[in-house]
Amino acid sequence: MRQMTTQSINHAAKSSRLLAIGAALLLTSGVRGQQFLIGNPNEFELTAPQLDKISGTTEARLEQVRALVADKKWDEAVDTLHDVAASDADRLVAVNESTFLPLSAYCQLELSRLPAAGLAAYRRRQDAIAEKWYRDGVTSRDPALLGRVLDEAFCSSWGDDALVALGELALERADYAGARRAWQAISPQLRDPLGRPEWVALAYVDLSQHWSQVASRWQVRKTAPDWLAYPDTNIDLADVRARLILVSIREGDFDRAKLELEVFRRLHPQAVGRIAGEEGPYVPALERLLKSARDWPAAPRDSDWRTFALSPTRNAAAPLVVGVRYPAWHEPVRLPSVDDHRLVRIPPAGVTGKLEPIRETDRFLAYHPLVVDGRVFFNDPRRIQALDLSTGKPALTASGTLYQLDAVPGGEGPAVIAPAIILGNGRVSIAGAVAGVPRYTMTYANGVLYARVGEDATGHSQTTGQRREERLVGIDLRREGLLTFEVKPDDGSWSFDGAPICDGQRVYVAMRRSDVKPHVFVASFDAATGRRLWRTSIAAGDTPSSGRGEEVTHDLLTLVGDRIYVNTNLGVVAAVATADGQIAWLRRYDRVPGTIREPTPLCFDRDPSPCMYDRGMLFVAPADAPTIFALDADTGQTLWATNQLGDAVNLLGVVDGILIAGGNRLASVDARSGRVRFVWPESDSAGIRGFGRGLVAGHEVFWPSRDKIYVLDAVTGQQTRKPIDIAAYTNCGANLVAADGYLLLATHDQLMAFGSLPAPPTERKEVPKQPEVAVAQ
């Protein structure tokens, strides 16, 4: 490890005059570890996020609408509401203290709350054009035209018909999330009064004992819903509920289908219709379908590992891993060691003293490799590398390098991190604060490998009009690693906040704009041309650096059908439409309150922390709050929240309705209620601490500690195998990836694979080591 001397730091201070005030740099402990925070003074506050809300003038006009409604002046109310919706359509309105909608959607919500006379006045104005959009959309099978009915005329006489048609189209393309979202919006009675679907609200209710209370509460509504649902459909709800059960069966969610069918029997015992090509009574038809579906062959699990957390939903179990006890490669492959950039406390100007770390640290686990078609891919700030999965030797090119970022003219290329010392090409960062640790993730989609390369810093205290040495790249693996996609930030105030995700046609990425408070956006680019299609503002908020210096973040998006979910770690979670970037809903949560000092809460180590999607639920473990919570993915309604998992760092997956979370210990949580089922080991003093990101494979959880990998049953928490000893390779854990029968370990500076057989006894040849990435001296 290179040492920074007092003389070199003082020289940098004199040459730049930026270190005159000094800086305090913090490196957190390794037990909690994978984040560092640097700042002077060594404290900060996280205030509520700033949102792009409607103006006071617009709010006054909404109050005018409410007054007109109270006076039953329907035509004036509808006309005013139409004008208001067109004025600031994308700005946000608070539905309650936590949930926000774009003004256009909020106006639709207000219309849905009108009494019959008000709706009639609205429909006289809107039905003609809504009917045309609907009929043209059905004829052409165009989701965009049907979506226009919902966006601009949701409460017209054709809104519920458009929802039915959109659900049918989504089901045909196996978009179960989209089908369920459309059909559940046909009536408020398809959710309980709190906005929860049957699957969650009735999970642990004995319907045989409590049905009368359930039915009364479910069907009698005293207040208007906080979510958008068609107000007065004439579509038979038995038809809708039958289709929702069909979605659960097609999705393979048989427990959910069973509960929904039990409710259906009580609500619609004699209902008749056509389902799954069969005409007749619904109940026996659905019973037969559910019974036969249990014998359908299970969908094969992808043996590759194509993105962070395996899938774009950030929730997928790898295939069962069998017998991974032997090193499969002759030599581990060396990775650039992130902790080569150890940061130390710098005394204020004029104060003499010893330079020393704020406290002892372990090495950071920055790397999250991918596996595609028998090859391992990993990246650092400048390179994308490929290895053969079975041997660990370079793949695709002689050196294994698929991409290398050109050096900065006159310098050594971008620095791995931008602390308050000399950077590449002699540049000097402002001395103030640095927060974060680099993370290296990628995404593979439609034959192309996407990554973010360049400077790690995503937040900057000072910006220029010049672009930073940073970009998104796409490498086509079908065409010998051809660079087919490349985009750069607009200027020095913008940065790509983490690796992108792709649906094959469009590339989506979180972006960060440096300002007094960092501002998070979501952007979409055409995968073929790199042209930006849209960019949507989500929120701005305080961070540990608070604009005082460089900051490293890595916000990853979650992609489910035609929606993107983003956890900003700024007090906000949002859902965004893939088509146009329109915010569907935004949910605000409470951040860590008050002045934060060291040691920081363990939640600050949750990075990356994308939302995790499972069967209509969204699980969030933000880095700025100790709470873990579940939201309804369609509406943003809170389903549950818990403060019992403050030491949980990684959400690993959902198995049989159980959420698995890793951190200092491994935790199992009921996904529908938030109730903690087990924590392993039970005691903090058991001498076992987790370190690194584990994974779910089959029904097992692989959970790394400092020198072992424990394997437990996800449901019972019992150990299913003897721990895998990795002490010969690391004493600070690893990030795990499972693919093609191999278990990959990415430590702080090595990448290795374990398999069911040891490496063949061939001539030992050392894998060429990568050159060190330039660091400040």
Side-chain angles (χ1 to χ4, degrees):
M1 178 181 298
R2 293 190 175 115
Q3 300 293 323
M4 292 190 296
T5 65
T6 305
Q7 290 82 0
S8 65
I9 294 175
N10 288 339
H11 177 73
K14 292 177 181 178
S15 62
S16 64
R17 295 186 179 180
L18 294 175
L19 297 179
I21 61 172
L25 294 91
L26 170 75
L27 194 55
T28 63
S29 77
V31 172
R32 300 173 44 253
Q34 303 180 28
Q35 170 178 337
F36 56 78
L37 171 68
I38 311 162
N40 185 21
N42 190 20
E43 59 183 37
F44 56 91
E45 293 187 12
L46 302 179
T47 59
Q50 294 179 350
L51 307 176
D52 189 14
K53 300 179 185 178
I54 58 173
S55 65
T57 301
T58 302
E59 180 58 47
R61 298 195 70 191
L62 287 174
E63 287 295 334
Q64 180 186 0
V65 170
R66 297 179 188 113
L68 292 169
V69 169
D71 292 338
K72 299 183 179 180
K73 297 180 179 179
W74 311 122
D75 290 333
E76 292 180 58
V78 168
D79 288 342
T80 304
L81 204 55
H82 181 272
D83 293 342
V84 170
S87 62
D88 284 325
D90 296 333
R91 290 202 169 188
L92 298 170
V93 186
V95 178
N96 51 48
E97 63 180 11
S98 301
T99 306
F100 295 79
L101 294 176
L103 178 59
S104 56
Y106 181 82
C107 289
Q108 299 289 349
L109 178 63
E110 288 287 277
L111 288 168
S112 73
R113 294 169 168 175
L114 292 177
L119 285 172
Y122 170 75
R123 287 165 179 168
R124 285 194 296 269
R125 286 161 168 73
Q126 205 67 29
D127 272 3
I129 186 62
E131 180 181 5
K132 182 180 187 310
W133 292 337
Y134 168 75
R135 295 195 182 281
D136 289 348
V138 169
T139 301
S140 60
R141 300 173 59 80
D142 185 354
L145 276 174
L146 294 170
R148 190 173 185 184
V149 177
L150 305 183
D151 292 340
E152 301 183 34
F154 183 88
C155 291
S156 70
S157 299
W158 301 94
D160 53 349
D161 298 286
L163 288 167
V164 172
L166 276 171
E168 295 287 355
L169 292 177
L171 187 63
E172 288 178 10
R173 61 178 184 268
D175 178 8
Y176 304 119
R180 184 175 283 120
R181 180 168 65 246
W183 288 337
Q184 282 190 322
I186 289 174
S187 171
Q189 293 189 8
L190 296 171
R191 296 177 179 272
D192 84 338
L194 297 179
R196 299 175 299 175
E198 293 172 356
W199 167 244
V200 175
L202 303 179
Y204 302 106
V205 176
D206 185 342
L207 296 181
S208 63
Q209 296 291 324
H210 304 289
W211 175 249
S212 59
Q213 299 96 310
V214 169
S216 174
R217 183 173 182 270
W218 207 277
Q219 296 177 349
V220 178
R221 306 297 171 101
K222 296 181 180 179
T223 59
D226 281 346
W227 66 95
L228 185 58
Y230 196 78
D232 58 349
T233 184
N234 58 7
I235 296 172
D236 189 346
L237 291 188
D239 295 339
V240 181
R241 286 194 172 98
R243 280 157 177 75
L244 288 169
I245 297 171
L246 179 62
V247 171
S248 298
I249 294 173
R250 292 271 187 91
E251 198 174 17
D253 194 351
F254 302 138
D255 288 341
R256 179 172 188 162
K258 181 181 177 181
L259 186 150
E260 291 170 338
L261 184 52
E262 184 177 355
V263 173
F264 189 94
R265 286 192 195 97
R266 298 174 184 276
L267 289 174
H268 314 288
Q270 305 301 323
V272 176
R274 185 175 183 82
I275 193 78
E278 183 176 342
E279 187 81 33
Y282 276 131
V283 171
L286 289 167
E287 287 175 339
R288 289 191 296 271
L289 186 61
L290 177 57
K291 181 178 180 180
S292 63
R294 294 183 184 277
D295 296 327
W296 293 348
R301 288 192 170 110
D302 192 346
S303 61
D304 289 340
W305 193 284
R306 298 171 182 262
T307 189
F308 179 85
L310 185 57
S311 82
T313 65
R314 311 302 180 184
N315 173 36
L320 182 67
V321 177
V322 180
V324 285
R325 303 204 62 83
Y326 302 99
W329 302 347
H330 285 297
E331 294 286 345
V333 173
R334 187 177 178 196
L335 303 170
S337 178
V338 175
D339 71 346
D340 279 352
H341 317 289
R342 182 185 297 272
L343 299 172
V344 297
R345 176 180 280 114
I346 302 175
V351 177
T352 61
K354 181 181 178 182
L355 295 181
E356 56 187 21
I358 286 185
R359 57 186 168 188
E360 185 180 354
T361 179
D362 283 292
R363 295 158 176 172
F364 302 120
L365 301 177
Y367 296 93
H368 298 270
L370 304 186
V371 178
V372 179
D373 295 335
R375 298 183 178 94
V376 181
F377 300 93
F378 64 95
N379 65 316
D380 61 40
R382 300 182 62 184
R383 302 173 184 83
I384 299 175
Q385 303 272 84
L387 304 172
D388 184 276
L389 176 60
S390 61
T391 66
K393 295 183 178 181
L396 297 179
T397 68
S399 65
T401 300
L402 300 182
Y403 178 89
Q404 181 162 335
L405 186 65
D406 293 335
V408 178
E412 296 182 351
V416 170
I417 190 168
I421 49 179
I422 298 175
L423 305 177
N425 199 24
R427 293 180 295 114
V428 179
S429 161
I430 185 168
V434 175
V437 66
R439 306 292 183 184
Y440 304 122
T441 69
M442 294 182 290
T443 288
Y444 174 85
N446 203 30
V448 179
L449 188 66
Y450 295 95
R452 176 194 184 278
V453 294
E455 294 185 29
D456 286 315
T458 54
H460 313 280
S461 58
Q462 290 186 345
T463 59
T464 68
Q466 298 179 347
R467 287 179 175 170
R468 295 182 179 272
E469 196 59 31
E470 173 198 337
R471 64 198 69 181
L472 300 181
V473 296
I475 308 298
D476 195 328
L477 301 182
R478 301 162 302 183
R479 294 192 281 175
E480 299 180 345
L482 181 67
L483 179 65
T484 59
F485 178 88
E486 185 176 46
V487 294
K488 300 179 181 180
D490 299 357
D491 56 45
S493 65
W494 288 93
S495 184
F496 297 115
D497 195 356
I501 202 161
C502 179
D503 59 12
Q505 303 298 317
R506 297 181 176 189
V507 176
Y508 309 98
V509 68
M511 297 192 71
R512 183 166 294 231
R513 189 178 69 193
S514 296
D515 206 331
V516 176
K517 295 185 177 183
H519 196 150
V520 170
F521 294 73
V522 176
S524 171
F525 297 87
D526 186 278
T529 65
R531 179 174 63 90
R532 192 176 77 224
L533 303 175
W534 51 260
R535 184 163 61 196
T536 298
S537 167
I538 304 298
D542 293 319
T543 63
S545 75
S546 299
R548 296 172 293 171
E550 309 291 342
E551 183 170 37
V552 179
T553 57
H554 201 84
D555 288 344
L556 298 176
L557 306 178
T558 300
L559 176 63
V560 183
D562 59 0
R563 276 201 179 173
I564 295 166
Y565 300 97
V566 54
N567 169 27
T568 64
N569 294 313
L570 296 177
V572 165
V573 179
V576 178
T578 59
D580 55 9
Q582 176 70 57
I583 292 177
W585 53 259
L586 185 146
R587 191 72 173 178
R588 189 170 60 188
Y589 58 85
D590 292 333
R591 313 179 78 187
V592 176
T595 300
I596 302 169
R597 300 179 177 87
E598 293 308 313
T600 56
L602 184 63
C603 63
F604 281 81
D605 295 337
R606 294 172 181 167
D607 180 32
S609 56
C611 300
M612 176 189 291
Y613 176 90
D614 181 69
R615 297 175 293 179
M617 294 182 286
L618 204 66
F619 303 98
V620 188
D624 57 343
T627 308
I628 291 179
F629 52 91
L631 305 176
D632 186 285
D634 297 339
T635 66
Q637 301 285 319
T638 298
L639 302 178
W640 56 259
T642 179
N643 288 314
Q644 298 182 45
L645 299 172
D647 63 348
V649 175
N650 303 303
L651 300 184
L652 302 182
V654 177
V655 184
D656 292 341
I658 298 170
L659 172 66
I660 305 298
N664 278 355
R665 295 184 290 169
L666 192 68
S668 166
V669 183
D670 187 283
R672 288 179 285 174
S673 68
R675 179 175 59 87
V676 176
R677 295 171 60 97
F678 71 76
V679 176
W680 190 90
E682 295 182 1
S683 172
D684 264 337
S685 59
I688 302 173
R689 291 275 182 110
F691 203 92
R693 182 177 178 85
L695 58 85
V696 176
H699 281 71
E700 294 180 308
V701 182
F702 287 71
W703 183 64
S705 69
R706 294 179 177 279
D707 55 4
K708 290 182 177 63
I709 298 173
Y710 295 89
V711 187
L712 295 87
D713 185 276
V715 176
T716 67
Q718 299 298 311
Q719 292 191 61
T720 58
R721 314 185 191 192
K722 183 179 178 181
I724 302 171
D725 190 351
I726 57 175
Y729 303 95
T730 179
N731 65 353
C732 60
N735 293 326
L736 307 183
V737 165
D740 273 350
Y742 291 88
L743 185 66
L744 285 173
L745 286 67
T747 73
H748 78 288
D749 64 351
Q750 293 187 115
L751 180 61
M752 67 198 77
F754 279 64
S756 58
L757 297 173
T762 58
E763 181 182 356
R764 295 174 63 89
K765 292 184 178 179
E766 186 176 357
V767 176
K769 294 182 179 180
Q770 301 176 25
E772 290 281 359
V773 178
V775 296
Q777 301 187 49

